[in-house]
Amino acid sequence: MNASYDVVVIGGGIQGAGVAQAAAACGYRTLLLEQHTLAAGTSSRSSKLVHGGLRYLESGRIRLVRESLREREILLRIAPGLVARQDFFIPLYASSRRTAGHVRAGLWLYRLLAGGSVGGFERVPARAWEQLDGIETAGLKAVFRYGDAQTDDVALTHAVARSATEFGAEIRVGTRFVGAERAGAGYEVRSVHEGVVATCETRALVNATGPWVAQTLSRVLPGPPRLPHDLVAGTHIITEGALGQGCYYVEAPSDHRGVFILPWRGRVLTGTTERLYTGDPGLVAPTPEEIAYLQATLAAYFPGLSTVVAESFAGLRVLPKSQGDLNGRSREVVLLADAPRPRLISIFGGKLTGYRRTAEQVMERLGLVLPARAPRADTSRLVLPMG
């Protein structure tokens, strides 16, 4: 007899773990399948930030920023050992594209959208610039401080997954999704673990495989809807050194793109880049050009820090196809369903900060077809387990 579930989730990154937690907290029998280990892909290769996305204000993504700021506050409350408030500094030079007035207006709107939380913002007086981790002061015109938050993306994913199991979800790592076929009021799902093929039935299927989202859909019958999209690679480098005052949001000297320079486990994390990627998602890696770009950015702002790369990594973002440069593309998550009353939902894109709300939206859609269950918890109030 095949096992039977209400919800089967494919993919063990932060989005998949979030959906598994939300489904289990709603009282549904839930299974998560992950072919490698939890957070093996994009969810271990982020900028480690829980933030509203200040730069998205420039492209008019007000709703995305407001929602992200709301989720930031929720995560600060429910994950106190995993998500921590941080000071962020924006230095402005004679060569900067953005003016002090431009940045002040953006930070004012950012604070307004956040409801005035995380300390607002201020202009750092010139007498305090020498205390900012050795930042370059030649040509420096202004520095602004504002508040956001930082996390360990892998630890956060594992904590969300542990929370899901506490509410009865099953998580199977090292288990590859083979395929699914529509059967009655749901799907029959096939997977393989250590060479053994298993079959189960589910009322609903969630594709949370990140950059593998299209490949996963190709294994589902009948063929579900597709969404034209691009994979965008982003590289980070880790160098020796320390930043004691907080995080820095700077303009890359060569093209004025926003780049973060952050403290990370006693070293310095710099990123990220953006380039189209068309290869195997499992083989994405930093390029020499990306590494040099980030080294040049770090050196321009912190000439006293080493630019010797101790580690580097690249992750992939899923962005809907559109006109214009990559930097201006929408970062809003797209939930693609197989029908108005969906049995299959695929998650395209999504931010680390917004994983909980994305999972909530998935369950709202699946609530149209799933049977009523007694909810066990509200994930916006559920404190995540440490471990």
Side-chain angles (χ1 to χ4, degrees), residues 14 30 35 55 71 90 119 140 144 153 175 196 206 211 216 242 244 257 265 282-283 305 331 333 337 351 356 382 386:
I14 189 63
T30 304
Q35 66 176 341
R55 75 181 181 91
E71 290 302 309
I90 302 177
L140 188 57
F144 287 90
D153 47 7
T175 302
V196 178
V206 179
T216 300
R257 279 187 64 259
R265 295 180 175 175
L283 299 179
L305 288 179
R331 263 53 176 182
V333 66
K351 288 164 52 65
R356 193 206 64 85
L382 184 61
M386 296 293 293

Side-chain angles (χ1 to χ4, degrees), residues 69-91:
L69 287 169
R70 176 178 177 272
E71 290 302 309
R72 180 192 67 185
E73 293 307 298
I74 290 173
L75 288 176
L76 282 165
R77 186 173 67 247
I78 67 174
L82 293 166
V83 179
R85 298 183 190 275
Q86 276 277 29
D87 282 338
F88 282 69
F89 298 94
I90 302 177

